Amino acid sequence: MGLMVVASRAPPPHKAGIGGIWTCLLCLSSFCLGVAVVNRLWIVPDLVDLDKSATTAGKFGTHFATTNWKKVDAYMAGDMLSHASKTHNMLVTLNKTISSLEIKLAAARAAKAAKADKTAKGAAPEAESSNNHSKKFFVMGIVTAFSSRKLRDSIRQTWMPQGDGLKKLDKEKGIVIRFVIGHSAMPGGVLDRAIDAEEAQHKDFLRLNHEEGYRELSSKTQSYFSTAVAMWDADFYVKVDDDVHVNLGVLSSLLSRHQSKARTYIGCMKSGPVLAQQGVKYHEPEHWKFGEEGNKYFRHATGQIYAISKDLATYISINRCLLHRYANEDVSLGSWLVGLDVEHVDDRSLCCGTPPDCEMKAEAGNPCAASFDWSCSGICNSSKRMEQVHRCCGEAAVLRF
């Protein structure tokens, strides 16, 4: 009886099967629900971010819609200009560095070539060559001719030191002064031997590998700078005619004011007419290159005296085979520099007149570095008047005022 009761309470077989199905469905539903919940947690942040991004983009677009585009363009243009300026400055610095290295290399090559040329010709080295390697302030070349012995003597007796005085000027002040001359059409002839004797007596010549002649002054000037820059390392190279009075103290003070500058061309600048008419003094055979008749030359220093910095002298030395030579020497020098980035310094103290002009300027506190007569393109009757000009315009005269 008791067993029958227990048997009657056991679940029917078909009901147990139905429960298993619901259990499976319940598990499957739970699994799907769990996947949905997990996916919801992953998707929502992305949707939120996208929504925020869309909102931000909308605001950004709205902002730009109301922005003054001219200001934006100006800002962008300014930024580009700033970058371009920095790049330009870097390129300029690099170009200057390369230029400096090229100049030093060219100077070394020029010195080596000059030494080889002297050796080939059997020329004896200068007794002071050991001192040539020291840094100089300036080298002055007094351009002279075979027939100008009296002019040279008048300079030796006035403003140019002699003997030990010349060596002292070189050693203590770094100032080198030499008469500059080439050779005759017949090397070793009577004219050359006369210069040899004068050099043995005074030791104040710079001999060039150049054939003398009036029509060859441009070539002589070119040869002078090339030779001088190969022999001496100086800040400046000065060219002066042998009938001009120079006050060395004033000239030194003038050049020292420009010592830190590069590519400097100092003189009394002018721009005279191009003379096309044949037979006149300073006739320019190539006048057609300067345009219509009556035109003027480009700005250049008068030929009596001028100075150029080392890099310009080196440039002339490097390019001497390419530089064109006009009939007039001062025009030629100006043409070699006119296309370069050169500072032209117009200093009128380099073209004072002879007394009383130089005396009046010294008294007014503007002493002259060089004096000559424009009417003669030098001191008229220089060999006789140089002493008087020196007495009135020299360093001792300047100190009196």
Side-chain angles (χ1 to χ4, degrees):
M1 187 72 182
L3 293 169
M4 288 179 65
V5 173
V6 173
S8 63
R9 291 180 181 179
H14 69 276
K15 287 183 179 181
I18 293 172
I21 292 171
W22 280 105
T23 301
C24 292
L25 290 173
L26 181 60
C27 291
L28 182 61
S29 299
S30 299
F31 174 78
C32 292
L33 181 62
V35 170
V37 171
V38 171
N39 286 342
R40 180 65 179 173
L41 292 174
W42 285 348
I43 293 170
V44 168
D46 292 340
L47 292 175
V48 171
D49 290 343
L50 288 173
D51 186 58
K52 286 183 178 179
S53 299
T55 304
T56 304
K59 291 180 180 179
F60 191 67
T62 304
H63 171 72
F64 267 93
T66 59
T67 299
N68 187 339
W69 283 100
K70 290 184 179 180
K71 292 182 179 180
V72 175
D73 290 342
Y75 174 79
M76 294 176 67
D79 190 51
M80 291 173 66
L81 287 173
S82 176
H83 285 295
S85 177
K86 290 178 180 178
T87 304
H88 174 72
N89 291 337
M90 290 174 65
L91 289 174
V92 168
T93 302
L94 181 61
N95 285 335
K96 287 182 177 179
T97 302
I98 293 173
S99 177
S100 177
L101 292 173
E102 287 178 342
I103 287 172
K104 290 179 180 179
L105 180 61
R109 286 174 175 170
K112 184 177 180 180
K115 185 177 180 180
D117 188 54
K118 280 189 173 185
T119 304
K121 290 179 170 57
E126 289 192 355
E128 60 175 359
S129 60
S130 60
N131 194 38
N132 287 351
H133 299 292
S134 60
K135 183 70 175 181
K136 308 298 180 186
F137 179 20
F138 68 83
V139 175
M140 176 185 288
I142 306 171
V143 178
T144 190
F146 289 115
S147 59
S148 302
R149 175 63 189 261
K150 290 183 178 180
L151 296 180
R152 291 192 292 273
D153 285 341
S154 69
I155 289 175
R156 290 180 179 119
Q157 293 164 7
T158 52
W159 61 266
M160 178 180 176
Q162 287 296 291
D164 292 338
L166 197 63
K167 294 179 181 178
K168 184 178 180 181
L169 189 67
D170 180 350
K171 185 176 181 180
E172 296 182 1
K173 303 294 184 180
I175 298 174
V176 178
I177 305 177
R178 295 290 183 273
F179 287 107
V180 178
I181 197 166
H183 58 77
S184 65
M186 298 290 292
V190 62
L191 295 176
D192 295 293
R193 292 199 300 271
I195 295 297
D196 290 340
E198 193 175 343
E199 163 65 6
Q201 179 182 357
H202 296 285
K203 301 186 185 306
D204 55 6
F205 276 94
L206 173 60
R207 310 290 289 273
L208 305 178
N209 182 23
H210 163 81
E211 184 176 328
E212 287 292 319
Y214 178 76
R215 299 291 181 185
E216 299 297 327
L217 288 178
S218 296
S219 177
K220 184 174 182 177
T221 300
Q222 193 179 77
S223 180
Y224 158 61
F225 285 122
S226 298
T227 305
V229 80
M231 292 185 64
W232 294 283
D233 177 17
D235 293 322
F236 294 99
Y237 297 84
V238 182
K239 177 263 176 182
V240 61
D241 290 342
D242 60 4
D243 54 357
V244 172
H245 179 271
V246 178
N247 187 319
L248 291 176
V250 178
L251 178 63
S252 298
S253 177
L254 185 163
L255 294 178
S256 66
R257 295 197 296 270
H258 304 282
Q259 203 167 359
S260 61
K261 300 177 182 178
R263 297 183 299 280
T264 311
Y265 176 27
I266 307 171
C268 288
M269 300 296 165
K270 64 175 184 176
S271 184
V274 180
L275 302 178
Q277 185 180 353
Q278 292 188 2
V280 299
K281 191 175 183 181
Y282 307 127
H283 164 64
E284 179 56 72
E286 296 180 275
H287 56 86
W288 59 273
K289 289 185 176 180
F290 299 91
E292 300 297 328
E293 186 173 347
N295 279 359
K296 291 185 177 182
Y297 287 114
F298 39 77
R299 203 73 170 160
H300 64 281
T302 183
Q304 284 86 350
I305 181 172
Y306 52 77
I308 60 175
S309 54
K310 178 184 177 179
D311 41 8
L312 297 183
T314 305
Y315 169 81
I316 293 172
S317 176
I318 296 170
N319 299 284
R320 58 187 179 277
C321 296
L322 299 175
L323 298 175
H324 184 70
R325 296 185 291 272
Y326 290 98
N328 300 305
E329 170 262 333
D330 53 352
V331 171
S332 294
L333 190 282
S335 72
W336 301 337
L337 307 181
V338 72
L340 305 180
D341 182 16
V342 174
E343 180 180 357
H344 289 59
V345 179
D346 182 21
D347 196 310
R348 311 314 289 183
S349 72
L350 289 169
C351 51
C352 295
T354 54
D357 181 56
C358 60
E359 292 178 294
M360 294 170 59
K361 289 177 179 176
E363 188 174 1
N366 300 307
C368 297
S371 301
F372 56 89
D373 300 308
W374 283 102
S375 59
C376 300
S377 296
I379 298 175
C380 299
N381 197 10
S382 177
S383 60
K384 294 183 178 179
R385 294 186 58 225
M386 184 65 76
E387 185 178 353
Q388 181 248 340
V389 174
H390 183 64
R391 190 167 57 249
C392 299
C393 306
E395 292 183 45
V398 171
L399 292 174
R400 291 201 301 267
F401 298 106

PDB file of all heavy atoms in Angstrom, residues 272-302:
ATOM      1  N   GLY A 272      82.141 108.861 -64.582  1.00  0.00           N
ATOM      2  CA  GLY A 272      82.419 109.800 -65.664  1.00  0.00           C
ATOM      3  C   GLY A 272      81.836 109.370 -66.998  1.00  0.00           C
ATOM      4  O   GLY A 272      81.370 108.245 -67.164  1.00  0.00           O
ATOM      5  N   PRO A 273      81.866 110.267 -67.978  1.00  0.00           N
ATOM      6  CA  PRO A 273      81.328 109.958 -69.306  1.00  0.00           C
ATOM      7  C   PRO A 273      82.191 108.961 -70.062  1.00  0.00           C
ATOM      8  O   PRO A 273      83.409 108.919 -69.894  1.00  0.00           O
ATOM      9  CB  PRO A 273      81.320 111.325 -69.998  1.00  0.00           C
ATOM     10  CG  PRO A 273      82.426 112.091 -69.328  1.00  0.00           C
ATOM     11  CD  PRO A 273      82.412 111.637 -67.899  1.00  0.00           C
ATOM     12  N   VAL A 274      81.548 108.163 -70.890  1.00  0.00           N
ATOM     13  CA  VAL A 274      82.263 107.226 -71.767  1.00  0.00           C
ATOM     14  C   VAL A 274      82.658 108.000 -73.021  1.00  0.00           C
ATOM     15  O   VAL A 274      81.791 108.447 -73.774  1.00  0.00           O
ATOM     16  CB  VAL A 274      81.365 106.024 -72.137  1.00  0.00           C
ATOM     17  CG1 VAL A 274      82.126 105.066 -73.036  1.00  0.00           C
ATOM     18  CG2 VAL A 274      80.882 105.322 -70.890  1.00  0.00           C
ATOM     19  N   LEU A 275      83.963 108.171 -73.228  1.00  0.00           N
ATOM     20  CA  LEU A 275      84.455 109.003 -74.335  1.00  0.00           C
ATOM     21  C   LEU A 275      84.609 108.159 -75.594  1.00  0.00           C
ATOM     22  O   LEU A 275      85.487 107.313 -75.704  1.00  0.00           O
ATOM     23  CB  LEU A 275      85.788 109.644 -73.950  1.00  0.00           C
ATOM     24  CG  LEU A 275      85.734 110.525 -72.679  1.00  0.00           C
ATOM     25  CD1 LEU A 275      87.114 111.086 -72.350  1.00  0.00           C
ATOM     26  CD2 LEU A 275      84.733 111.664 -72.860  1.00  0.00           C
ATOM     27  N   ALA A 276      83.723 108.434 -76.567  1.00  0.00           N
ATOM     28  CA  ALA A 276      83.710 107.662 -77.807  1.00  0.00           C
ATOM     29  C   ALA A 276      84.599 108.265 -78.888  1.00  0.00           C
ATOM     30  O   ALA A 276      84.996 107.575 -79.832  1.00  0.00           O
ATOM     31  CB  ALA A 276      82.275 107.545 -78.318  1.00  0.00           C
ATOM     32  N   GLN A 277      84.913 109.545 -78.761  1.00  0.00           N
ATOM     33  CA  GLN A 277      85.689 110.233 -79.796  1.00  0.00           C
ATOM     34  C   GLN A 277      87.150 109.792 -79.784  1.00  0.00           C
ATOM     35  O   GLN A 277      87.811 109.834 -78.748  1.00  0.00           O
ATOM     36  CB  GLN A 277      85.610 111.748 -79.585  1.00  0.00           C
ATOM     37  CG  GLN A 277      86.291 112.563 -80.679  1.00  0.00           C
ATOM     38  CD  GLN A 277      86.180 114.058 -80.430  1.00  0.00           C
ATOM     39  OE1 GLN A 277      85.482 114.481 -79.495  1.00  0.00           O
ATOM     40  NE2 GLN A 277      86.848 114.861 -81.253  1.00  0.00           N
ATOM     41  N   GLN A 278      87.642 109.382 -80.926  1.00  0.00           N
ATOM     42  CA  GLN A 278      89.035 108.933 -81.023  1.00  0.00           C
ATOM     43  C   GLN A 278      89.990 110.116 -80.910  1.00  0.00           C
ATOM     44  O   GLN A 278      89.680 111.229 -81.297  1.00  0.00           O
ATOM     45  CB  GLN A 278      89.268 108.211 -82.349  1.00  0.00           C
ATOM     46  CG  GLN A 278      88.542 106.883 -82.460  1.00  0.00           C
ATOM     47  CD  GLN A 278      88.947 106.115 -83.699  1.00  0.00           C
ATOM     48  OE1 GLN A 278      89.797 106.555 -84.470  1.00  0.00           O
ATOM     49  NE2 GLN A 278      88.344 104.950 -83.898  1.00  0.00           N
ATOM     50  N   GLY A 279      91.161 109.841 -80.347  1.00  0.00           N
ATOM     51  CA  GLY A 279      92.191 110.869 -80.240  1.00  0.00           C
ATOM     52  C   GLY A 279      92.159 111.650 -78.948  1.00  0.00           C
ATOM     53  O   GLY A 279      93.131 112.332 -78.624  1.00  0.00           O
ATOM     54  N   VAL A 280      91.076 111.561 -78.183  1.00  0.00           N
ATOM     55  CA  VAL A 280      91.006 112.291 -76.918  1.00  0.00           C
ATOM     56  C   VAL A 280      91.584 111.419 -75.803  1.00  0.00           C
ATOM     57  O   VAL A 280      91.638 110.189 -75.908  1.00  0.00           O
ATOM     58  CB  VAL A 280      89.554 112.680 -76.571  1.00  0.00           C
ATOM     59  CG1 VAL A 280      88.974 113.585 -77.642  1.00  0.00           C
ATOM     60  CG2 VAL A 280      88.688 111.442 -76.383  1.00  0.00           C
ATOM     61  N   LYS A 281      92.006 112.078 -74.726  1.00  0.00           N
ATOM     62  CA  LYS A 281      92.537 111.347 -73.590  1.00  0.00           C
ATOM     63  C   LYS A 281      91.431 110.524 -72.940  1.00  0.00           C
ATOM     64  O   LYS A 281      90.286 110.978 -72.834  1.00  0.00           O
ATOM     65  CB  LYS A 281      93.124 112.338 -72.572  1.00  0.00           C
ATOM     66  CG  LYS A 281      93.948 111.674 -71.477  1.00  0.00           C
ATOM     67  CD  LYS A 281      94.586 112.726 -70.573  1.00  0.00           C
ATOM     68  CE  LYS A 281      95.466 112.062 -69.516  1.00  0.00           C
ATOM     69  NZ  LYS A 281      96.094 113.074 -68.609  1.00  0.00           N
ATOM     70  N   TYR A 282      91.769 109.323 -72.541  1.00  0.00           N
ATOM     71  CA  TYR A 282      90.831 108.385 -71.911  1.00  0.00           C
ATOM     72  C   TYR A 282      89.751 107.884 -72.879  1.00  0.00           C
ATOM     73  O   TYR A 282      88.648 107.514 -72.468  1.00  0.00           O
ATOM     74  CB  TYR A 282      90.175 108.998 -70.665  1.00  0.00           C
ATOM     75  CG  TYR A 282      91.155 109.533 -69.661  1.00  0.00           C
ATOM     76  CD1 TYR A 282      91.063 110.847 -69.189  1.00  0.00           C
ATOM     77  CD2 TYR A 282      92.190 108.730 -69.188  1.00  0.00           C
ATOM     78  CE1 TYR A 282      91.972 111.328 -68.267  1.00  0.00           C
ATOM     79  CE2 TYR A 282      93.098 109.219 -68.251  1.00  0.00           C
ATOM     80  CZ  TYR A 282      92.993 110.520 -67.806  1.00  0.00           C
ATOM     81  OH  TYR A 282      93.890 111.011 -66.893  1.00  0.00           O
ATOM     82  N   HIS A 283      90.081 107.890 -74.174  1.00  0.00           N
ATOM     83  CA  HIS A 283      89.155 107.350 -75.180  1.00  0.00           C
ATOM     84  C   HIS A 283      88.839 105.890 -74.868  1.00  0.00           C
ATOM     85  O   HIS A 283      89.726 105.114 -74.488  1.00  0.00           O
ATOM     86  CB  HIS A 283      89.783 107.458 -76.571  1.00  0.00           C
ATOM     87  CG  HIS A 283      89.101 106.618 -77.612  1.00  0.00           C
ATOM     88  ND1 HIS A 283      87.798 106.822 -78.001  1.00  0.00           N
ATOM     89  CD2 HIS A 283      89.545 105.560 -78.350  1.00  0.00           C
ATOM     90  CE1 HIS A 283      87.462 105.936 -78.917  1.00  0.00           C
ATOM     91  NE2 HIS A 283      88.510 105.155 -79.152  1.00  0.00           N
ATOM     92  N   GLU A 284      87.582 105.518 -75.005  1.00  0.00           N
ATOM     93  CA  GLU A 284      87.150 104.153 -74.737  1.00  0.00           C
ATOM     94  C   GLU A 284      86.800 103.445 -76.053  1.00  0.00           C
ATOM     95  O   GLU A 284      85.740 103.686 -76.632  1.00  0.00           O
ATOM     96  CB  GLU A 284      85.923 104.144 -73.820  1.00  0.00           C
ATOM     97  CG  GLU A 284      85.371 102.762 -73.492  1.00  0.00           C
ATOM     98  CD  GLU A 284      86.404 101.853 -72.885  1.00  0.00           C
ATOM     99  OE1 GLU A 284      86.776 102.062 -71.719  1.00  0.00           O
ATOM    100  OE2 GLU A 284      86.851 100.939 -73.604  1.00  0.00           O
ATOM    101  N   PRO A 285      87.702 102.602 -76.576  1.00  0.00           N
ATOM    102  CA  PRO A 285      87.437 101.910 -77.835  1.00  0.00           C
ATOM    103  C   PRO A 285      86.164 101.055 -77.796  1.00  0.00           C
ATOM    104  O   PRO A 285      85.519 100.861 -78.826  1.00  0.00           O
ATOM    105  CB  PRO A 285      88.684 101.033 -78.027  1.00  0.00           C
ATOM    106  CG  PRO A 285      89.745 101.684 -77.208  1.00  0.00           C
ATOM    107  CD  PRO A 285      89.028 102.265 -76.034  1.00  0.00           C
ATOM    108  N   GLU A 286      85.812 100.562 -76.643  1.00  0.00           N
ATOM    109  CA  GLU A 286      84.626  99.716 -76.533  1.00  0.00           C
ATOM    110  C   GLU A 286      83.429 100.498 -75.989  1.00  0.00           C
ATOM    111  O   GLU A 286      82.622  99.983 -75.221  1.00  0.00           O
ATOM    112  CB  GLU A 286      84.928  98.522 -75.636  1.00  0.00           C
ATOM    113  CG  GLU A 286      85.994  97.592 -76.204  1.00  0.00           C
ATOM    114  CD  GLU A 286      86.281  96.413 -75.296  1.00  0.00           C
ATOM    115  OE1 GLU A 286      87.101  96.582 -74.379  1.00  0.00           O
ATOM    116  OE2 GLU A 286      85.684  95.342 -75.502  1.00  0.00           O
ATOM    117  N   HIS A 287      83.332 101.737 -76.416  1.00  0.00           N
ATOM    118  CA  HIS A 287      82.277 102.620 -75.923  1.00  0.00           C
ATOM    119  C   HIS A 287      80.880 102.076 -76.227  1.00  0.00           C
ATOM    120  O   HIS A 287      79.924 102.319 -75.499  1.00  0.00           O
ATOM    121  CB  HIS A 287      82.427 104.013 -76.539  1.00  0.00           C
ATOM    122  CG  HIS A 287      82.442 104.021 -78.033  1.00  0.00           C
ATOM    123  ND1 HIS A 287      81.289 104.061 -78.789  1.00  0.00           N
ATOM    124  CD2 HIS A 287      83.475 103.965 -78.918  1.00  0.00           C
ATOM    125  CE1 HIS A 287      81.602 104.050 -80.079  1.00  0.00           C
ATOM    126  NE2 HIS A 287      82.927 103.982 -80.180  1.00  0.00           N
ATOM    127  N   TRP A 288      80.730 101.329 -77.317  1.00  0.00           N
ATOM    128  CA  TRP A 288      79.430 100.796 -77.723  1.00  0.00           C
ATOM    129  C   TRP A 288      78.826  99.858 -76.678  1.00  0.00           C
ATOM    130  O   TRP A 288      77.618  99.667 -76.617  1.00  0.00           O
ATOM    131  CB  TRP A 288      79.563 100.066 -79.054  1.00  0.00           C
ATOM    132  CG  TRP A 288      80.547  98.927 -79.025  1.00  0.00           C
ATOM    133  CD1 TRP A 288      81.889  98.984 -79.243  1.00  0.00           C
ATOM    134  CD2 TRP A 288      80.244  97.563 -78.727  1.00  0.00           C
ATOM    135  NE1 TRP A 288      82.454  97.737 -79.097  1.00  0.00           N
ATOM    136  CE2 TRP A 288      81.469  96.849 -78.791  1.00  0.00           C
ATOM    137  CE3 TRP A 288      79.070  96.865 -78.426  1.00  0.00           C
ATOM    138  CZ2 TRP A 288      81.530  95.467 -78.552  1.00  0.00           C
ATOM    139  CZ3 TRP A 288      79.143  95.502 -78.190  1.00  0.00           C
ATOM    140  CH2 TRP A 288      80.366  94.823 -78.256  1.00  0.00           C
ATOM    141  N   LYS A 289      79.680  99.286 -75.818  1.00  0.00           N
ATOM    142  CA  LYS A 289      79.186  98.374 -74.790  1.00  0.00           C
ATOM    143  C   LYS A 289      78.402  99.101 -73.700  1.00  0.00           C
ATOM    144  O   LYS A 289      77.677  98.474 -72.929  1.00  0.00           O
ATOM    145  CB  LYS A 289      80.337  97.606 -74.138  1.00  0.00           C
ATOM    146  CG  LYS A 289      80.987  96.559 -75.035  1.00  0.00           C
ATOM    147  CD  LYS A 289      82.024  95.778 -74.261  1.00  0.00           C
ATOM    148  CE  LYS A 289      82.629  94.665 -75.110  1.00  0.00           C
ATOM    149  NZ  LYS A 289      83.639  93.892 -74.354  1.00  0.00           N
ATOM    150  N   PHE A 290      78.560 100.412 -73.638  1.00  0.00           N
ATOM    151  CA  PHE A 290      77.929 101.180 -72.578  1.00  0.00           C
ATOM    152  C   PHE A 290      76.677 101.920 -73.050  1.00  0.00           C
ATOM    153  O   PHE A 290      76.212 102.842 -72.389  1.00  0.00           O
ATOM    154  CB  PHE A 290      78.938 102.158 -71.979  1.00  0.00           C
ATOM    155  CG  PHE A 290      80.132 101.472 -71.367  1.00  0.00           C
ATOM    156  CD1 PHE A 290      81.274 101.225 -72.121  1.00  0.00           C
ATOM    157  CD2 PHE A 290      80.096 101.043 -70.054  1.00  0.00           C
ATOM    158  CE1 PHE A 290      82.369 100.572 -71.576  1.00  0.00           C
ATOM    159  CE2 PHE A 290      81.184 100.394 -69.494  1.00  0.00           C
ATOM    160  CZ  PHE A 290      82.317 100.151 -70.255  1.00  0.00           C
ATOM    161  N   GLY A 291      76.150 101.513 -74.200  1.00  0.00           N
ATOM    162  CA  GLY A 291      74.902 102.088 -74.682  1.00  0.00           C
ATOM    163  C   GLY A 291      75.117 103.257 -75.623  1.00  0.00           C
ATOM    164  O   GLY A 291      76.128 103.347 -76.336  1.00  0.00           O
ATOM    165  N   GLU A 292      74.153 104.162 -75.628  1.00  0.00           N
ATOM    166  CA  GLU A 292      74.182 105.303 -76.546  1.00  0.00           C
ATOM    167  C   GLU A 292      75.314 106.275 -76.205  1.00  0.00           C
ATOM    168  O   GLU A 292      75.772 106.351 -75.065  1.00  0.00           O
ATOM    169  CB  GLU A 292      72.839 106.040 -76.501  1.00  0.00           C
ATOM    170  CG  GLU A 292      71.638 105.172 -76.890  1.00  0.00           C
ATOM    171  CD  GLU A 292      71.720 104.692 -78.323  1.00  0.00           C
ATOM    172  OE1 GLU A 292      72.270 105.413 -79.168  1.00  0.00           O
ATOM    173  OE2 GLU A 292      71.241 103.575 -78.601  1.00  0.00           O
ATOM    174  N   GLU A 293      75.727 107.017 -77.210  1.00  0.00           N
ATOM    175  CA  GLU A 293      76.788 108.014 -77.002  1.00  0.00           C
ATOM    176  C   GLU A 293      76.328 109.047 -75.973  1.00  0.00           C
ATOM    177  O   GLU A 293      75.196 109.511 -75.997  1.00  0.00           O
ATOM    178  CB  GLU A 293      77.120 108.703 -78.336  1.00  0.00           C
ATOM    179  CG  GLU A 293      78.308 109.651 -78.247  1.00  0.00           C
ATOM    180  CD  GLU A 293      78.730 110.188 -79.610  1.00  0.00           C
ATOM    181  OE1 GLU A 293      78.276 109.638 -80.629  1.00  0.00           O
ATOM    182  OE2 GLU A 293      79.512 111.159 -79.634  1.00  0.00           O
ATOM    183  N   GLY A 294      77.231 109.392 -75.067  1.00  0.00           N
ATOM    184  CA  GLY A 294      76.894 110.320 -73.994  1.00  0.00           C
ATOM    185  C   GLY A 294      76.577 109.630 -72.679  1.00  0.00           C
ATOM    186  O   GLY A 294      76.409 110.294 -71.652  1.00  0.00           O
ATOM    187  N   ASN A 295      76.497 108.305 -72.700  1.00  0.00           N
ATOM    188  CA  ASN A 295      76.243 107.572 -71.457  1.00  0.00           C
ATOM    189  C   ASN A 295      77.450 107.661 -70.518  1.00  0.00           C
ATOM    190  O   ASN A 295      78.554 108.005 -70.931  1.00  0.00           O
ATOM    191  CB  ASN A 295      75.939 106.102 -71.749  1.00  0.00           C
ATOM    192  CG  ASN A 295      74.495 105.900 -72.182  1.00  0.00           C
ATOM    193  OD1 ASN A 295      73.724 106.838 -72.239  1.00  0.00           O
ATOM    194  ND2 ASN A 295      74.156 104.666 -72.483  1.00  0.00           N
ATOM    195  N   LYS A 296      77.216 107.297 -69.264  1.00  0.00           N
ATOM    196  CA  LYS A 296      78.280 107.325 -68.264  1.00  0.00           C
ATOM    197  C   LYS A 296      78.664 105.909 -67.860  1.00  0.00           C
ATOM    198  O   LYS A 296      77.911 104.968 -68.043  1.00  0.00           O
ATOM    199  CB  LYS A 296      77.835 108.110 -67.031  1.00  0.00           C
ATOM    200  CG  LYS A 296      77.675 109.610 -67.289  1.00  0.00           C
ATOM    201  CD  LYS A 296      77.360 110.342 -65.993  1.00  0.00           C
ATOM    202  CE  LYS A 296      77.284 111.837 -66.223  1.00  0.00           C
ATOM    203  NZ  LYS A 296      77.028 112.579 -64.950  1.00  0.00           N
ATOM    204  N   TYR A 297      79.877 105.796 -67.289  1.00  0.00           N
ATOM    205  CA  TYR A 297      80.332 104.527 -66.750  1.00  0.00           C
ATOM    206  C   TYR A 297      79.552 104.182 -65.476  1.00  0.00           C
ATOM    207  O   TYR A 297      78.953 105.055 -64.849  1.00  0.00           O
ATOM    208  CB  TYR A 297      81.823 104.594 -66.386  1.00  0.00           C
ATOM    209  CG  TYR A 297      82.774 104.595 -67.549  1.00  0.00           C
ATOM    210  CD1 TYR A 297      83.558 105.710 -67.833  1.00  0.00           C
ATOM    211  CD2 TYR A 297      82.912 103.470 -68.357  1.00  0.00           C
ATOM    212  CE1 TYR A 297      84.457 105.704 -68.894  1.00  0.00           C
ATOM    213  CE2 TYR A 297      83.809 103.459 -69.419  1.00  0.00           C
ATOM    214  CZ  TYR A 297      84.572 104.574 -69.687  1.00  0.00           C
ATOM    215  OH  TYR A 297      85.454 104.573 -70.734  1.00  0.00           O
ATOM    216  N   PHE A 298      79.627 102.927 -65.090  1.00  0.00           N
ATOM    217  CA  PHE A 298      79.128 102.492 -63.792  1.00  0.00           C
ATOM    218  C   PHE A 298      79.992 103.118 -62.701  1.00  0.00           C
ATOM    219  O   PHE A 298      81.084 103.627 -62.953  1.00  0.00           O
ATOM    220  CB  PHE A 298      79.188 100.961 -63.697  1.00  0.00           C
ATOM    221  CG  PHE A 298      80.420 100.387 -64.338  1.00  0.00           C
ATOM    222  CD1 PHE A 298      81.646 100.448 -63.705  1.00  0.00           C
ATOM    223  CD2 PHE A 298      80.359  99.837 -65.617  1.00  0.00           C
ATOM    224  CE1 PHE A 298      82.788  99.954 -64.301  1.00  0.00           C
ATOM    225  CE2 PHE A 298      81.510  99.337 -66.221  1.00  0.00           C
ATOM    226  CZ  PHE A 298      82.718  99.398 -65.561  1.00  0.00           C
ATOM    227  N   ARG A 299      79.524 103.046 -61.469  1.00  0.00           N
ATOM    228  CA  ARG A 299      80.247 103.644 -60.340  1.00  0.00           C
ATOM    229  C   ARG A 299      81.564 102.906 -60.099  1.00  0.00           C
ATOM    230  O   ARG A 299      81.591 101.673 -59.992  1.00  0.00           O
ATOM    231  CB  ARG A 299      79.376 103.549 -59.095  1.00  0.00           C
ATOM    232  CG  ARG A 299      79.717 104.570 -58.012  1.00  0.00           C
ATOM    233  CD  ARG A 299      79.277 105.939 -58.419  1.00  0.00           C
ATOM    234  NE  ARG A 299      79.368 106.884 -57.307  1.00  0.00           N
ATOM    235  CZ  ARG A 299      79.417 108.186 -57.479  1.00  0.00           C
ATOM    236  NH1 ARG A 299      79.424 108.691 -58.692  1.00  0.00           N
ATOM    237  NH2 ARG A 299      79.468 108.991 -56.438  1.00  0.00           N
ATOM    238  N   HIS A 300      82.673 103.648 -60.022  1.00  0.00           N
ATOM    239  CA  HIS A 300      83.978 103.046 -59.752  1.00  0.00           C
ATOM    240  C   HIS A 300      84.896 104.095 -59.124  1.00  0.00           C
ATOM    241  O   HIS A 300      84.633 105.296 -59.202  1.00  0.00           O
ATOM    242  CB  HIS A 300      84.608 102.498 -61.038  1.00  0.00           C
ATOM    243  CG  HIS A 300      84.910 103.552 -62.052  1.00  0.00           C
ATOM    244  ND1 HIS A 300      83.942 104.111 -62.872  1.00  0.00           N
ATOM    245  CD2 HIS A 300      86.073 104.181 -62.383  1.00  0.00           C
ATOM    246  CE1 HIS A 300      84.486 105.016 -63.665  1.00  0.00           C
ATOM    247  NE2 HIS A 300      85.775 105.087 -63.384  1.00  0.00           N
ATOM    248  N   ALA A 301      85.968 103.623 -58.486  1.00  0.00           N
ATOM    249  CA  ALA A 301      86.900 104.534 -57.807  1.00  0.00           C
ATOM    250  C   ALA A 301      87.867 105.154 -58.800  1.00  0.00           C
ATOM    251  O   ALA A 301      88.291 104.506 -59.765  1.00  0.00           O
ATOM    252  CB  ALA A 301      87.672 103.786 -56.725  1.00  0.00           C
ATOM    253  N   THR A 302      88.227 106.399 -58.560  1.00  0.00           N
ATOM    254  CA  THR A 302      89.235 107.039 -59.381  1.00  0.00           C
ATOM    255  C   THR A 302      90.564 106.300 -59.216  1.00  0.00           C
ATOM    256  O   THR A 302      90.859 105.754 -58.153  1.00  0.00           O
ATOM    257  CB  THR A 302      89.393 108.522 -58.986  1.00  0.00           C
ATOM    258  OG1 THR A 302      90.330 109.149 -59.858  1.00  0.00           O
ATOM    259  CG2 THR A 302      89.878 108.675 -57.564  1.00  0.00           C
TER     260      THR A 302
END
